[in-house]
Amino acid sequence: YIKQAPIWIKNHIWEISHNGSKHSFYLLAEDITSEKITESTLELSNNQLAMLMDNSQVGMCLLHVEVDFKHILTGMRTRFLRANQSFLEMSGYSEKEVLSWTEKEGMKIIHPKDRAGFKVITVKAFLGKFKKPYSYDYRAIKKDGSYRKVRILVTGIQQPDKSFMLITNYILLD
């Protein structure tokens, strides 16, 4: 007896004819083991990322960004996917508020005098396809209107659909 690893099968069944109580079917069995392994690996990676973010003393956000490179300054669509407790405490916003932010609302936490520099460094990072992480020091405006000096560190990965997944780290400087 040789013990083998289980395989995942996806069955496709089509009725091709029937005559009274007799039915004929076409059955196609597809081995989807590699898809399931990839799926479980991705789930494990997502869980590990969540655990890393949740346990970090550094403020962190996970964002999905779509960029129109023809209109790079105005052609960004951003979705905040996750924010850890450290970021929420630093910013004064709730998780519900942060996860509903658009790119414009996300920019509102940057002091108006620091926004132009932030946009320049962001454009450079996108054009360079995040071959290296980038950082920028700015005044972060908290929900209560006060501000703190922070350093943002951003790492990005371009997705097959040409969008980007970004992990941002916020470190207090004062």
Side-chain angles (χ1 to χ4, degrees):
Y1 173 72
I2 298 173
K3 186 175 181 177
Q4 295 181 350
I7 62 171
W8 287 86
I9 301 291
K10 181 177 183 179
N11 291 316
H12 306 271
I13 302 172
W14 297 272
E15 183 177 39
I16 53 177
S17 70
H18 71 274
N19 184 4
S21 63
K22 289 189 172 191
H23 297 267
S24 297
F25 294 95
Y26 176 76
L27 171 66
L28 173 66
E30 179 183 5
D31 182 352
I32 59 167
T33 305
S34 63
E35 290 173 32
K36 287 295 187 178
I37 290 171
T38 301
E39 203 175 274
S40 66
T41 302
L42 184 58
E43 184 179 337
L44 178 62
S45 295
N46 286 340
N47 289 339
Q48 289 171 334
L49 175 62
M51 204 165 71
L52 173 77
M53 286 183 72
D54 291 344
N55 293 313
S56 177
Q57 297 300 309
V58 174
M60 296 178 79
C61 290
L62 177 65
L63 299 94
H64 179 257
V65 181
E66 295 177 23
V67 180
D68 176 356
F69 283 99
K70 293 177 185 169
H71 304 93
I72 196 155
L73 285 175
T74 58
M76 275 189 221
R77 286 195 3 231
T78 303
R79 279 192 357 250
F80 285 75
L81 303 175
R82 186 178 196 91
N84 72 356
Q85 190 60 39
S86 296
F87 177 81
L88 299 174
E89 289 169 6
M90 286 171 62
S91 68
Y93 289 91
S94 71
E95 183 177 33
K96 183 178 180 183
E97 290 171 307
V98 172
L99 297 184
S100 70
W101 283 353
T102 64
E103 58 281 349
K104 287 180 183 174
E105 291 162 324
M107 288 296 285
K108 287 181 183 176
I109 67 167
I110 300 171
H111 191 281
K113 292 183 179 179
D114 296 331
R115 289 179 190 160
F118 182 81
K119 286 180 182 180
V120 167
I121 197 79
T122 301
V123 166
K124 285 181 180 179
F126 277 108
L127 291 174
K129 301 212 181 343
F130 292 92
K131 288 186 175 77
K132 61 180 184 172
Y134 77 91
S135 67
Y136 184 70
D137 294 355
Y138 68 92
R139 290 164 284 183
I141 303 170
K142 295 179 67 170
K143 185 177 182 178
D144 66 10
S146 65
Y147 64 89
R148 308 267 319 252
K149 188 82 170 169
V150 299
R151 174 169 294 142
I152 184 173
L153 303 164
V154 182
T155 302
I157 300 169
Q158 191 166 22
Q159 302 296 298
D161 68 357
K162 304 295 184 206
S163 67
F164 291 84
M165 293 297 287
L166 306 181
I167 295 179
T168 60
N169 298 285
Y170 300 85
I171 301 166
L172 290 174
L173 297 177
D174 56 10

